[in-house]
Structures are given as C-alpha cells and as structure tokens.
C-alpha cells in the first residue's frame, strides 16, 4: 500500500510541472485523493460489501468531484489531473501509467449488465472533456484528443480526435495535426472525408500548403548551408595556396 502511494506521488511529479512538493500533492491534489479512496472502495466491493463500497466512493465524489465506481479496475501510477467532472463506470478498466484530464467520461451505452464500459491499455492519455463510451478497447500508448467522443476501438499508439472520433494513423494526418498545433489551433474538427465539408477541405488544403512551404524552406536552407561549406572550403584552399607561394 505504501509503495503504491509513493508511486502515485512520484507520477504526479513526472506529469505535472506545477507540483512543487510532496506535501502539496498529498494535501491539494484531488486526483491523488480519489485514487487513494477508490482503493478502499474497490477492496470493499471485492469483499462483497457493495453498499459500503458505494458509500465510500460517494464520499470521494463529494470531496474531490471525481466519480469512480468501486467496481472499476484501476492500475498503478494512474494520474488524474485536476479531475473535476471525471466519471469512471463500474466495468471500466484502466491500465498502468494512464493519464486522465478533467471532464473525462468512461461511460456505458447500454442498460444491460456485463461489460459495458471502456478498457484502457497501458500509458494511455485521455484529453480534457473526452467521452469514451461502450465496451471499447483503447490500445497501449494511444491518445484521445480533448472533447473527442470515442465509440470504437483505438489501436495501440494511435490518436483519436473529433466528434465522432476518427483514428489518426497515417503520417499525413499526424503531420497535419502537428502543424495545426504549431499554428495554435486544433484541427480536431476536420472530418475523415474532407470533401464532405467545405470548411474541412479548406483547412486541410491550407495545412498541406503550409507543410509544402516548410519542406521547400528546409531544402533552401540545406542548399545555403552546403554552399557556405563549399565557399569556406574553397577559401581555405586559396589561403593554403597563397601561403605556399609566399613560402617559396
């Protein structure tokens, strides 16, 4: 138990640059408090003390603004940043080293009993306000963008963005997203088929044009550096020749 608490504190320092001291984490981080209380609630749930487990989790929700059902399975070194409005359902499973931001929902889409909530692999990052619905699987090291609505499986290492979420796997899409981030806006609303949306088509066109210009500038800079090197080499050879002549 103490080892898990130390791991929880350490992962806060690894993923939140605002954390200044261990005392601050212990006293001021609701995500840390929610996970600590959830372990007690989950133990009570497994011991068949279901009502008491629900009561403990209800108290945690009141104190932290984070609602974790006592039946949910949460791995080690999970970090819930800020946390207000996070909802994690009964059959949800969260792997080790995952990160969830505020407003995240791991919810169900059916009233039937059984597996009805998402399963997250290891090292998954879920952006603020994202909604993951149903018994879907999010693969290891996957990313879900802020405010995305995910209702289908996300492959390992992929990124899911938009409403409904689309999966970014190819390099062109990844480069577009990186370029959009550098320009200071989110391209999450761009649909998979840009021809279905004139605005999306225009945004994709602008991003592609910008990336093409970046590539040309890189080539020009490379050529300039190459010319500089040649010029310096020629100048060095000329000086060496002058010295030899002078020596004679």
């Amino acid at each position: 138990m103490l080892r898990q608490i130390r791991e929880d504190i350490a992962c806060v320092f690894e993923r939140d640059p605002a954390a200044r001291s261990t005392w601050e984490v212990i006293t001021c981080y609701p995500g840390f408090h929610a996970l600590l209380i959830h372990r007690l609630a989950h133990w009570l749930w497994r011991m068949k003390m279901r009502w008491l487990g629900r009561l403990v989790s209800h108290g945690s929700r009141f104190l932290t603004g984070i609602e974790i059902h006592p039946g949910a399975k949460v791995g080690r070194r999970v970090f819930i940043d800020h946390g207000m409005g996070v909802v994690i359902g009964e059959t949800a499973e969260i792997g080790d080293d995952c990160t969830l931001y505020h407003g995240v929902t791991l919810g169900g889409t059916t009233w039937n009993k059984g597996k009805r909530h998402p399963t997250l692999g290891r090292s998954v990052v879920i952006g603020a306000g994202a909604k993951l619905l149903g018994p879907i699987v999010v693969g290891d090291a996957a990313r879900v963008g802020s405010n995305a609505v995910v209702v289908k499986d996300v492959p390992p290492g992929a990124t899911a963005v938009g409403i409904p979420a689309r999966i970014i796997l190819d390099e062109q899409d990844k480069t577009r997203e990186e370029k959009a981030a550098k320009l200071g806006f989110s391209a999450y609303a761009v649909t998979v088929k840009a021809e279905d949306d004139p605005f999306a088509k225009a945004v994709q066109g602008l991003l592609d044009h910008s990336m093409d210009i970046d590539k040309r500038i890189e080539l020009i800079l490379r050529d300039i550096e190459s010319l500089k090197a040649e010029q310096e080499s020629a100048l060095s050879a000329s000086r060496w020749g002058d010295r030899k002549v002078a020596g004679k």
Side-chain angles (χ1 to χ4, degrees), residues 123-152:
S123 303
V124 172
V125 178
I126 311 295
K131 316 298 176 192
L132 285 71
L133 307 175
I136 61 175
V137 176
V138 180
D140 294 349
R143 302 287 184 268
V144 176
S146 299
N147 296 318
V149 177
V150 186
V151 293
K152 294 181 181 179

Tab-separated table of all heavy atoms in Angstrom, residues 123-152:
chain	number	residue	atom	x	y	z
A	123	SER	N	-0.292	3.290	-20.430
A	123	SER	CA	0.251	4.583	-20.891
A	123	SER	C	-0.679	5.324	-21.846
A	123	SER	O	-0.232	6.034	-22.742
A	123	SER	CB	1.615	4.365	-21.567
A	123	SER	OG	2.511	3.729	-20.690
A	124	VAL	N	-1.964	5.174	-21.657
A	124	VAL	CA	-2.953	5.890	-22.466
A	124	VAL	C	-3.152	7.294	-21.894
A	124	VAL	O	-3.149	7.480	-20.673
A	124	VAL	CB	-4.297	5.127	-22.484
A	124	VAL	CG1	-5.392	5.945	-23.161
A	124	VAL	CG2	-4.119	3.781	-23.179
A	125	VAL	N	-3.323	8.275	-22.767
A	125	VAL	CA	-3.597	9.652	-22.336
A	125	VAL	C	-4.954	10.074	-22.892
A	125	VAL	O	-5.185	9.999	-24.103
A	125	VAL	CB	-2.511	10.631	-22.821
A	125	VAL	CG1	-2.861	12.057	-22.408
A	125	VAL	CG2	-1.146	10.238	-22.258
A	126	ILE	N	-5.845	10.515	-22.004
A	126	ILE	CA	-7.191	10.949	-22.398
A	126	ILE	C	-7.304	12.444	-22.127
A	126	ILE	O	-7.191	12.889	-20.989
A	126	ILE	CB	-8.287	10.196	-21.623
A	126	ILE	CG1	-8.048	8.687	-21.652
A	126	ILE	CG2	-9.657	10.551	-22.186
A	126	ILE	CD1	-8.137	8.065	-23.015
A	127	GLY	N	-7.522	13.226	-23.173
A	127	GLY	CA	-7.591	14.679	-23.052
A	127	GLY	C	-8.844	15.161	-22.348
A	127	GLY	O	-9.844	14.440	-22.213
A	128	ALA	N	-8.818	16.409	-21.912
A	128	ALA	CA	-9.913	17.007	-21.143
A	128	ALA	C	-11.230	16.947	-21.906
A	128	ALA	O	-11.291	17.258	-23.090
A	128	ALA	CB	-9.567	18.459	-20.810
A	129	GLY	N	-12.272	16.528	-21.214
A	129	GLY	CA	-13.607	16.534	-21.802
A	129	GLY	C	-13.916	15.382	-22.735
A	129	GLY	O	-15.020	15.316	-23.286
A	130	ALA	N	-12.985	14.468	-22.933
A	130	ALA	CA	-13.216	13.351	-23.855
A	130	ALA	C	-14.236	12.375	-23.262
A	130	ALA	O	-14.280	12.154	-22.061
A	130	ALA	CB	-11.910	12.627	-24.155
A	131	LYS	N	-15.046	11.783	-24.141
A	131	LYS	CA	-16.046	10.799	-23.735
A	131	LYS	C	-15.763	9.477	-24.451
A	131	LYS	O	-15.771	9.420	-25.681
A	131	LYS	CB	-17.463	11.259	-24.094
A	131	LYS	CG	-17.767	12.720	-23.771
A	131	LYS	CD	-17.656	13.026	-22.297
A	131	LYS	CE	-17.877	14.511	-22.014
A	131	LYS	NZ	-17.515	14.898	-20.650
A	132	LEU	N	-15.497	8.442	-23.683
A	132	LEU	CA	-15.285	7.103	-24.231
A	132	LEU	C	-16.466	6.260	-23.786
A	132	LEU	O	-16.694	6.079	-22.577
A	132	LEU	CB	-13.975	6.498	-23.717
A	132	LEU	CG	-12.680	7.043	-24.336
A	132	LEU	CD1	-12.397	8.462	-23.888
A	132	LEU	CD2	-11.510	6.156	-23.982
A	133	LEU	N	-17.216	5.754	-24.755
A	133	LEU	CA	-18.497	5.131	-24.452
A	133	LEU	C	-18.576	3.706	-24.969
A	133	LEU	O	-18.234	3.439	-26.122
A	133	LEU	CB	-19.635	5.965	-25.058
A	133	LEU	CG	-19.635	7.455	-24.687
A	133	LEU	CD1	-20.730	8.184	-25.459
A	133	LEU	CD2	-19.826	7.643	-23.186
A	134	GLY	N	-19.037	2.801	-24.110
A	134	GLY	CA	-19.233	1.419	-24.502
A	134	GLY	C	-18.035	0.546	-24.166
A	134	GLY	O	-16.991	1.029	-23.726
A	135	PRO	N	-18.153	-0.770	-24.418
A	135	PRO	CA	-17.079	-1.720	-24.078
A	135	PRO	C	-15.958	-1.718	-25.115
A	135	PRO	O	-15.566	-2.761	-25.635
A	135	PRO	CB	-17.818	-3.061	-24.044
A	135	PRO	CG	-18.921	-2.898	-25.032
A	135	PRO	CD	-19.357	-1.460	-24.935
A	136	ILE	N	-15.445	-0.550	-25.407
A	136	ILE	CA	-14.374	-0.412	-26.398
A	136	ILE	C	-13.021	-0.644	-25.750
A	136	ILE	O	-12.895	-0.603	-24.525
A	136	ILE	CB	-14.409	0.982	-27.076
A	136	ILE	CG1	-14.199	2.083	-26.038
A	136	ILE	CG2	-15.717	1.187	-27.829
A	136	ILE	CD1	-14.087	3.471	-26.615
A	137	VAL	N	-12.006	-0.865	-26.575
A	137	VAL	CA	-10.644	-1.072	-26.087
A	137	VAL	C	-9.736	0.004	-26.675
A	137	VAL	O	-9.702	0.203	-27.891
A	137	VAL	CB	-10.114	-2.467	-26.481
A	137	VAL	CG1	-8.662	-2.628	-26.048
A	137	VAL	CG2	-10.976	-3.561	-25.860
A	138	VAL	N	-9.016	0.697	-25.818
A	138	VAL	CA	-8.037	1.690	-26.241
A	138	VAL	C	-6.656	1.088	-26.016
A	138	VAL	O	-6.291	0.772	-24.884
A	138	VAL	CB	-8.195	3.010	-25.450
A	138	VAL	CG1	-7.168	4.034	-25.911
A	138	VAL	CG2	-9.607	3.561	-25.615
A	139	GLY	N	-5.912	0.901	-27.103
A	139	GLY	CA	-4.637	0.198	-27.036
A	139	GLY	C	-3.549	0.940	-26.275
A	139	GLY	O	-3.668	2.136	-25.985
A	140	ASP	N	-2.487	0.231	-25.959
A	140	ASP	CA	-1.352	0.801	-25.230
A	140	ASP	C	-0.803	2.037	-25.931
A	140	ASP	O	-0.687	2.066	-27.164
A	140	ASP	CB	-0.225	-0.229	-25.120
A	140	ASP	CG	-0.605	-1.427	-24.263
A	140	ASP	OD1	-1.647	-1.360	-23.585
A	140	ASP	OD2	0.146	-2.420	-24.272
A	141	ALA	N	-0.472	3.043	-25.133
A	141	ALA	CA	0.175	4.275	-25.617
A	141	ALA	C	-0.676	5.053	-26.617
A	141	ALA	O	-0.163	5.893	-27.340
A	141	ALA	CB	1.538	3.973	-26.229
A	142	ALA	N	-1.977	4.794	-26.646
A	142	ALA	CA	-2.870	5.565	-27.523
A	142	ALA	C	-3.175	6.914	-26.883
A	142	ALA	O	-2.977	7.117	-25.683
A	142	ALA	CB	-4.155	4.790	-27.782
A	143	ARG	N	-3.662	7.848	-27.712
A	143	ARG	CA	-4.014	9.186	-27.244
A	143	ARG	C	-5.435	9.514	-27.707
A	143	ARG	O	-5.806	9.193	-28.831
A	143	ARG	CB	-3.049	10.241	-27.816
A	143	ARG	CG	-1.577	9.998	-27.462
A	143	ARG	CD	-1.314	10.317	-26.012
A	143	ARG	NE	0.091	10.190	-25.661
A	143	ARG	CZ	0.636	9.080	-25.185
A	143	ARG	NH1	-0.100	7.987	-25.039
A	143	ARG	NH2	1.912	9.033	-24.856
A	144	VAL	N	-6.192	10.170	-26.837
A	144	VAL	CA	-7.531	10.632	-27.194
A	144	VAL	C	-7.557	12.139	-26.997
A	144	VAL	O	-7.253	12.635	-25.907
A	144	VAL	CB	-8.618	9.950	-26.341
A	144	VAL	CG1	-9.985	10.528	-26.672
A	144	VAL	CG2	-8.610	8.443	-26.573
A	145	GLY	N	-7.889	12.879	-28.054
A	145	GLY	CA	-7.868	14.334	-28.002
A	145	GLY	C	-8.972	14.913	-27.135
A	145	GLY	O	-9.994	14.267	-26.864
A	146	SER	N	-8.770	16.141	-26.719
A	146	SER	CA	-9.757	16.836	-25.883
A	146	SER	C	-11.109	16.902	-26.579
A	146	SER	O	-11.198	17.166	-27.773
A	146	SER	CB	-9.270	18.254	-25.584
A	146	SER	OG	-8.061	18.213	-24.882
A	147	ASN	N	-12.173	16.627	-25.810
A	147	ASN	CA	-13.566	16.702	-26.253
A	147	ASN	C	-13.939	15.676	-27.326
A	147	ASN	O	-15.022	15.753	-27.897
A	147	ASN	CB	-13.901	18.108	-26.761
A	147	ASN	CG	-13.813	19.149	-25.663
A	147	ASN	OD1	-14.263	18.905	-24.548
A	147	ASN	ND2	-13.212	20.287	-25.949
A	148	ALA	N	-13.061	14.710	-27.588
A	148	ALA	CA	-13.391	13.661	-28.547
A	148	ALA	C	-14.488	12.761	-27.972
A	148	ALA	O	-14.611	12.600	-26.754
A	148	ALA	CB	-12.156	12.831	-28.872
A	149	VAL	N	-15.284	12.187	-28.870
A	149	VAL	CA	-16.298	11.202	-28.477
A	149	VAL	C	-15.940	9.891	-29.165
A	149	VAL	O	-16.052	9.770	-30.384
A	149	VAL	CB	-17.713	11.652	-28.870
A	149	VAL	CG1	-18.732	10.570	-28.505
A	149	VAL	CG2	-18.080	12.959	-28.177
A	150	VAL	N	-15.466	8.925	-28.375
A	150	VAL	CA	-14.941	7.672	-28.924
A	150	VAL	C	-15.927	6.545	-28.655
A	150	VAL	O	-16.264	6.272	-27.504
A	150	VAL	CB	-13.567	7.334	-28.293
A	150	VAL	CG1	-12.957	6.117	-28.971
A	150	VAL	CG2	-12.625	8.526	-28.391
A	151	VAL	N	-16.379	5.890	-29.723
A	151	VAL	CA	-17.325	4.775	-29.584
A	151	VAL	C	-16.804	3.513	-30.277
A	151	VAL	O	-17.503	2.508	-30.335
A	151	VAL	CB	-18.713	5.157	-30.149
A	151	VAL	CG1	-19.359	6.234	-29.300
A	151	VAL	CG2	-18.607	5.610	-31.600
A	152	LYS	N	-15.570	3.584	-30.799
A	152	LYS	CA	-14.955	2.424	-31.439
A	152	LYS	C	-13.551	2.217	-30.872
A	152	LYS	O	-12.948	3.136	-30.337
A	152	LYS	CB	-14.872	2.637	-32.955
A	152	LYS	CG	-16.236	2.700	-33.640
A	152	LYS	CD	-16.074	2.888	-35.145
A	152	LYS	CE	-17.426	2.971	-35.835
A	152	LYS	NZ	-17.280	3.183	-37.298
